[in-house]
Structure formats: C-alpha cells, structure tokens
Amino acid sequence: MANEGAVLIAGNQWLGGQGVPVYANGGNYNTRYQCVELPQGRLYPKFGWPRVYAAGNGGATYIPEGSPGLTRYNPGSKYIPVPGDLVIENTTSTNAYGHVSVVDYTDVSKGIIYAVEQNASANGRVTYSYNGSNYAGLSSSRSVRCILHAPSNTFKNPATYDTIKTQYGITRSAKIISSIYNEYGNAPYKTQGYKVLGSLSSMVNKAVTITQVAVTSANNKLYQFKIDGNSYWADYRNFSAVDNTISNTAMNRAAKVTPSQYDEYGSNSYNELDYRTLGSTKSFSGREVTVLNLVKAKNGGTYYKFRIDGKDYWTDCRNLSLRDTISSETTTSRTWRIISSPYNEYGNVPYNTAGYTLLGSLSGFVGRNVPIHKVAKTSGNNTLYQFTLNGKQYWADHRNFENLDKTVEDVVYNVKLVVTPSQYDEYGNNPYNALTYKTLGSTKEFAGRTVQISRRVKTQSNNTYYQFTVDNKMYWSDYRNFK
C-alpha cells in the first residue's frame, strides 16, 4: 500500500493531461487527502470552476446541496458525463458521508465511466456503469446519487471508434434499394476516419458491384461498393442481390458429399451478397452430412445448407446427393431364395438411406435360401428386404429374392361360405405365402358367420387361401376355415 501523501496518479495522466495529482491515504481514512479534497481544494480552483462545498454533515453526498453553482444530472437524465464532472455517491449503512470521484472520461460505446478518486481505491481509479445514463456503481455499496457539472467546463470525452472485427473481399452484382440507413461514407460506419459523403436515396435501383464486406465491433455489417468508378461504404441493408433468393425451405435430410465441378462451399448461399468461399467439398468427399435448408435463387441456382463436424456451410446442390427416407417398414418372417438380378448389391441399411454403405454383391449367393426379417419402402420408390446371410443381417433390393411358395393362381371368386375354423384358423392382411403377411387374429372370432369370398389364391406348394369380407373389412385365411 502506498504511503499517505504518495502520488497515485500524476496530473498529466488523466483529464487529457491537465489533471492534478491524486494522492494516497496510506490506509488512514482520516487522512487530509479526503475524497472531497481533490475537486474542492485543487482541481476546481485550478480551472476557476464554481466552488465545491459539502453541506449537511460535510460528507461528499451533500455536495449537491452545498454547491449551487454546479449543474446536477440525476440517473436517467440522458446526460453523458465529461472529464472533470463529479460523481456523487449515496451514503450507506456503514458510511454516513458518501463519496465523490472525478470523471476522467466516459466511453459510451463500452458503457463505462472512468474516474479518479482519493481515500478509497488503492490505485486511485474507479469505474461506473453508464447504463444509458442510469449511472451505477459496480457494487451495491457504491450507488450513484447524481453527476455534477461545472457550466464553464469545456472538456469533452475523447472520440471512440468502432473497430473492424471481420473484413473480406468479394465480387457481387447488386442494386441499391430504399433504406432508412442510406448514408454512405469513405470507410465503414463509425470506424476511425469515417466521414459521411452523402445519401443513397437518389441512387435507388442503380447497379453497383460489392467488393468488400466488413463487420464492426458494434456488430454493424457494411458493404464496400463501386459505382461510377468510385468506391464507398454503406450499410448492407441498402443493397439487394441481382440473383436474389425466391424461396428458403427448411429440411432435415441426410446426404452424401459428391463433389461436382461447382465444388466450393461457403459461409452463405452462393447468391447472397456476402457469400464467402471457405473451401472445397472435395475435402468432405464421400462423407455423410445433414442438409438443413434449400434455397432457390432467381437465376435458377439451388443451394443447400449442410452440417458436418458440428459446423454449418452452404454449397451448390450438385455437390450433395440426398439420401432417401424410409416411408414404411414392416416386419415379417419368411424364407426366400436369392436369385440372379442386375440390382444385386447389398448394404448395411436400405439402399441410399442415411448411412448406406455398399458391402458386396449377391451374385455369389444365387440359390441360397435366406430368412427375410423386414420390408422397407423408401421415398425413392425402392422396396428393400432385410435378410440374414452367414449369420449377419443386410439389406438388398426385393428383386434379388424369390418366394419359395410362389402364387401360381390368383382368381376372382364370388361365393358365400360359412366360417368353420380349422386347426389353421388364423387370418391376416394378405395370403399366407405373401412376404408382407401379418397375422391379425383367429377365424374363431367369426365362427358360424356367412361371409363373401372375393378371391382365391393357389400356391406352388398346393396351399389355397381365400380373401373374405366380414363387417365390411377384407382379410385372408386358409380355405379350410370355410364351408
């Protein structure tokens, strides 16, 4: 801790170099270098500003009442404190005198009031929250009562500028559109050196070329544009792409990366003005991705937003092959024979659905009998069977399999019979030999009922099945359940 009377801040280190020394209290809160001493004894007399005097108990919190020559601004007044102003703090349960500090400067862009003080902080500096002029201390024990300003004080806060966070070059055709943010200048808005050069209101519908994109520390997005041979900067909301978006549809589809000659990917849909090339889809070739959005542009382009490795990018639709979705899936339990087919590849999941990998060809297994477990139909109008081969389960096109009990006759029938359940009493949704047959119940439920028989199927194994109607619903059952 600095000794009492030691200089914490030299006069040339604050108030634009025109301050007075800020002294330490050495841990002695009864020091002569009280908080009020700084403005009252030295700073305000130096500039000939009105007297600083504390009324009431002599504490700093009563300076407003004792200093009528100073202008008072309460929290919420919209006043921005300037260098040399006084920050008056409220009393607390442990401090009946309050406190005063002197403003060094205010940075509105950061929302901070920087100040100096005596008889408080170890380094002589303190900050407050500007908070839209709702001045506040950075702790509950240091609340702000008001700001006091000397009318003859001409100090101003130093200029603060936005900085550029991101900037990159592009080449895009655009036209100027009507916008309330229509000023343009020589540099990105509010960055160092920015000057307003005019309004774009008189240039609406003119063609321009966008050459750069910049995003500032205030999160303003600006475009540099070229018109009539000159380059300027303006808010992005003053421009419309020539190849504008006509639709943007949300999706959630799996896809495989299949790079085309248009292989680049970027930060936005390619037709957007601030599109930025980030790389080539060749770096993801063969990878599975999720397509999140589909954009169609005025000039006919189609672009996908896709996610890979937890990041989102955009690319031409020709670089991604959408996977099919499964529209229906049913279970079964049948043994069928593998036959020769030009569609003989098999994989780990239904063909061209999410995660599909080609594992081999069934051409070497023709004639083998295999159990079928599932039937799936996809959005690509493909029908696939899940089967077991050599102890492992795979998926292949339905045209690779032959029913061991094929239908040899399927005729229209028109006769009424009585339900007389046999030992083969179950009924289902299709003839029993069909791969998609599903047991629905027992004909014992309908025993003695007269039903309409509408079709008869005979199979290669000499089995016969009837399609019958009961209670306005159609089912199939073994012919031995009817007389």
Side-chain angles (χ1 to χ4, degrees):
M1 178 180 291
N3 294 328
E4 182 178 1
V7 176
L8 294 177
I9 305 171
N12 62 3
Q13 292 179 334
W14 67 286
L15 204 68
Q18 299 186 59
V20 295
V22 176
Y23 293 113
N25 66 6
N28 174 18
Y29 288 96
N30 294 313
T31 177
R32 61 171 286 191
Y33 299 111
Q34 295 290 321
C35 60
V36 178
E37 186 273 338
L38 174 60
Q40 181 187 66
R42 292 178 289 121
L43 182 67
Y44 274 47
K46 174 181 177 179
F47 293 106
W49 294 341
R51 185 183 72 152
V52 176
Y53 180 77
N57 64 6
T61 198
Y62 298 106
I63 289 176
E65 287 75 15
S67 309
L70 302 179
T71 303
R72 175 173 177 164
Y73 296 97
N74 292 326
S77 64
K78 304 300 181 186
Y79 175 70
I80 300 173
V82 298
D85 284 353
L86 304 182
V87 181
I88 307 299
E89 296 186 16
N90 288 304
T91 60
T92 68
S93 59
T94 57
N95 177 8
Y97 302 101
H99 185 64
V100 62
S101 62
V102 183
V103 174
D104 187 4
Y105 68 95
T106 300
D107 187 336
V108 176
S109 66
K110 293 181 180 179
I112 298 176
I113 301 169
Y114 296 89
V116 300
E117 62 182 358
Q118 290 184 165
N119 205 28
S121 59
N123 64 359
R125 293 192 181 273
V126 64
T127 58
Y128 301 88
S129 171
Y130 173 67
N131 193 26
S133 82
N134 293 303
Y135 324 116
L138 299 186
S139 68
S140 59
S141 63
R142 301 195 64 171
S143 61
V144 177
R145 185 183 180 203
C146 65
I147 303 292
L148 294 180
H149 173 74
S152 54
N153 175 1
T154 59
F155 281 99
K156 297 187 181 302
N157 288 309
T160 56
Y161 304 105
D162 293 343
T163 57
I164 295 176
K165 294 194 302 183
T166 305
Q167 185 171 350
Y168 57 91
I170 60 172
T171 302
R172 285 287 186 277
S173 296
K175 69 175 181 178
I176 297 172
I177 60 174
S178 180
S179 166
I180 61 174
Y181 312 98
N182 55 28
E183 70 178 72
Y184 66 91
N186 62 321
Y189 178 70
K190 280 195 172 181
T191 58
Q192 189 166 7
Y194 175 77
K195 292 181 181 179
V196 178
L197 298 178
S199 167
L200 294 176
S201 58
S202 62
M203 304 180 193
V204 171
N205 290 323
K206 280 198 172 185
V208 298
T209 300
I210 307 298
T211 55
Q212 289 195 76
V213 179
V215 179
T216 70
S217 55
N219 288 322
N220 291 312
K221 184 163 69 174
L222 296 308
Y223 290 159
Q224 184 186 58
F225 64 101
K226 185 172 284 189
I227 185 171
D228 299 331
N230 297 311
S231 292
Y232 307 105
W233 286 87
D235 190 283
Y236 76 101
R237 288 167 286 194
N238 290 293
F239 305 93
S240 174
V242 172
D243 188 19
N244 58 301
T245 295
I246 58 175
S247 68
N248 187 336
T249 307
M251 300 178 65
N252 186 17
R253 289 280 297 276
K256 183 178 179 180
V257 180
T258 53
S260 70
Q261 59 179 310
Y262 314 98
D263 60 283
E264 68 180 85
Y265 68 89
S267 56
N268 303 87
S269 177
Y270 184 78
N271 64 309
E272 292 186 13
L273 292 180
D274 51 359
Y275 173 84
R276 184 181 186 185
T277 300
L278 298 176
S280 168
T281 52
K282 291 178 182 177
S283 61
F284 305 132
S285 186
R287 297 273 304 275
E288 292 282 325
V289 300
T290 301
V291 176
L292 304 174
N293 289 81
L294 179 153
V295 156
K296 295 199 173 194
K298 181 179 178 181
N299 289 347
T302 301
Y303 309 103
Y304 286 148
K305 181 180 181 180
F306 68 99
R307 180 168 293 163
I308 186 169
D309 297 333
K311 296 181 179 180
D312 295 347
Y313 306 109
W314 287 84
T315 193
D316 190 287
C317 67
R318 289 167 286 192
N319 296 312
L320 301 177
S321 296
L322 289 178
R323 293 297 201 183
D324 294 338
T325 57
I326 295 175
S327 52
S328 69
E329 185 175 291
T330 57
T331 58
T332 187
S333 181
R334 291 288 185 273
T335 298
W336 281 28
R337 181 181 295 115
I338 297 174
I339 60 174
S340 179
S341 165
Y343 313 99
N344 56 29
E345 70 178 76
Y346 65 91
N348 57 322
V349 293
Y351 176 74
N352 200 41
T353 59
Y356 177 78
T357 301
L358 170 63
L359 298 178
S361 167
L362 292 176
S363 59
F365 302 106
V366 171
R368 290 275 294 271
N369 293 342
V370 294
I372 308 294
H373 309 295
K374 291 181 180 179
V375 178
K377 293 183 182 291
T378 70
S379 57
N381 292 321
N382 293 309
T383 300
L384 297 308
Y385 293 163
Q386 185 190 58
F387 63 99
T388 295
L389 179 66
N390 296 333
K392 295 182 179 180
Q393 292 186 345
Y394 306 105
W395 287 85
D397 190 281
H398 71 104
R399 289 167 286 193
N400 290 293
F401 304 92
E402 178 182 60
N403 191 343
L404 294 180
D405 190 18
K406 291 189 293 186
T407 295
V408 295
E409 179 184 81
D410 186 345
V411 297
V412 175
Y413 221 45
N414 185 14
V415 64
K416 289 187 177 181
L417 298 175
V418 177
V419 179
T420 55
S422 69
Q423 59 179 310
Y424 314 101
D425 60 287
E426 69 180 83
Y427 68 89
N429 60 325
N430 285 302
Y432 185 79
N433 67 318
L435 187 61
T436 54
Y437 174 83
K438 184 177 182 180
T439 301
L440 298 177
S442 167
T443 53
K444 292 177 181 178
E445 302 166 29
F446 313 125
R449 300 272 297 272
T450 298
V451 296
Q452 178 71 44
I453 308 297
S454 52
R455 282 172 66 193
R456 182 187 69 195
V457 160
K458 288 189 176 182
T459 72
Q460 188 173 307
S461 300
N462 291 320
N463 290 309
T464 301
Y465 306 104
Y466 286 160
Q467 184 184 58
F468 67 100
T469 299
V470 63
D471 297 332
N472 296 316
K473 294 182 180 179
M474 286 186 175
Y475 306 109
W476 286 84
S477 190
D478 191 286
Y479 80 102
R480 288 169 287 193
N481 293 312
F482 305 93
K483 288 186 179 179

